Amino acid sequence: MEGTVFGPALKELEHVKSEHGEILSKHFLEVCKHILPVIDKFGTALALVKSDIGGNVSRLETMYSSNPSRFNYLYSLVQVEVETKTAKSSSSCTNGLLWLTRAMDFLVALFRNLVEHEDWTMYQACTDSYNKTLKKWHGWLASSSFSVVMKLAPSRKKFMEVIGGTGDINADIGKFCTTFSPLLEENHKFLARFGLDDMKAS
């Protein structure tokens, strides 16, 4: 494999903003899709996270494809639902963007842990990231199942070898987290303006 598995996502991130600094729907969703092969390398441990991300990406893509010029900017997908008062529905694009952003928060925290805490096991890195990000939004059942599947995570050494390819994996992870985090932060701020950033899992 040429470079690391983060290569395609890093390339896509170069195009994620318009010249006016707005997040573009198509490119943001592409970045998220490029992270799916990284999650694959975790095996069953992150299968739930992967299907959650995949589901939310397709929900947002479906809406975007229905009218690409109208939904060129990511937040236009939310604005239309705020106007029609459908944003809080569990099948809304707003809900999809919120959970997609939260899942990505978890992954960014996990990738950071892998680079910054070389002495941690994969289980420690996953658990710490989960506690910092997704846990407060999950009910008891989701939290319990999460801690069970985390135990199935591959060994840290094996995982880093698999995702490293021929590139500098630590540098690519650092670059991805630094570039992607501010976009996730923007999503939270935008959703918070409409009181939509604190919806919990039903």
Side-chain angles (χ1 to χ4, degrees):
M1 177 177 68
E2 194 61 35
T4 74
V5 286
F6 284 92
L10 288 170
K11 217 175 182 53
E12 198 67 50
L13 276 166
E14 294 168 16
H15 310 289
V16 86
K17 287 229 166 159
S18 73
E19 54 194 42
H20 306 297
E22 293 180 85
I23 300 176
L24 299 166
S25 306
K26 184 177 187 296
H27 295 294
F28 180 82
L29 296 172
E30 284 298 323
V31 172
C32 296
K33 285 202 295 200
H34 284 314
I35 289 302
L36 295 176
V38 185
I39 308 173
D40 266 340
K41 311 295 182 210
F42 279 93
T44 37
L46 290 188
L48 278 170
V49 175
K50 187 190 172 194
S51 72
D52 198 41
I53 290 172
N56 287 321
V57 166
S58 2
R59 184 189 302 185
L60 292 159
E61 269 187 335
T62 302
M63 179 82 144
Y64 164 74
S65 307
S66 69
N67 194 335
S69 55
R70 183 184 180 191
F71 297 124
N72 187 29
Y73 299 124
L74 188 62
Y75 301 152
S76 56
L77 296 163
V78 173
Q79 274 158 330
V80 70
E81 293 181 338
V82 168
E83 285 157 21
T84 55
K85 299 194 169 23
T86 52
K88 289 191 174 181
S89 144
S90 62
S91 58
S92 69
C93 280
T94 305
N95 198 46
L97 179 63
L98 175 64
W99 283 101
L100 177 59
T101 302
R102 286 174 177 171
M104 288 295 169
D105 285 336
F106 162 70
L107 291 173
V108 165
L110 173 53
F111 297 147
R112 279 208 170 114
N113 278 345
L114 290 173
V115 171
E116 291 168 13
H117 301 281
E118 291 184 8
D119 54 328
W120 284 12
T121 63
M122 184 64 96
Y123 180 69
Q124 277 176 294
C126 288
T127 308
D128 176 79
S129 318
Y130 179 70
N131 291 345
K132 278 195 243 170
T133 56
L134 286 170
K135 191 175 185 180
K136 62 179 167 213
W137 307 114
H138 277 169
W140 178 82
L141 193 64
S143 287
S144 319
S145 14
F146 215 88
S147 56
V148 171
V149 294
M150 282 299 110
K151 294 192 169 113
L152 305 171
S155 87
R156 177 204 173 91
K157 185 173 178 292
K158 189 177 168 198
F159 176 75
M160 294 303 264
E161 279 169 9
V162 170
I163 64 168
T166 58
D168 179 345
I169 188 60
N170 284 7
D172 276 7
I173 288 179
K175 207 158 144 195
F176 176 76
C177 294
T178 309
T179 320
F180 198 51
S181 291
L183 302 177
L184 300 176
E185 201 45 52
E186 269 185 62
N187 289 355
H188 286 302
K189 280 184 184 152
F190 178 78
L191 291 164
R193 271 173 44 198
F194 301 99
L196 297 167
D197 195 41
D198 54 0
M199 294 192 277
K200 289 199 167 193
S202 45

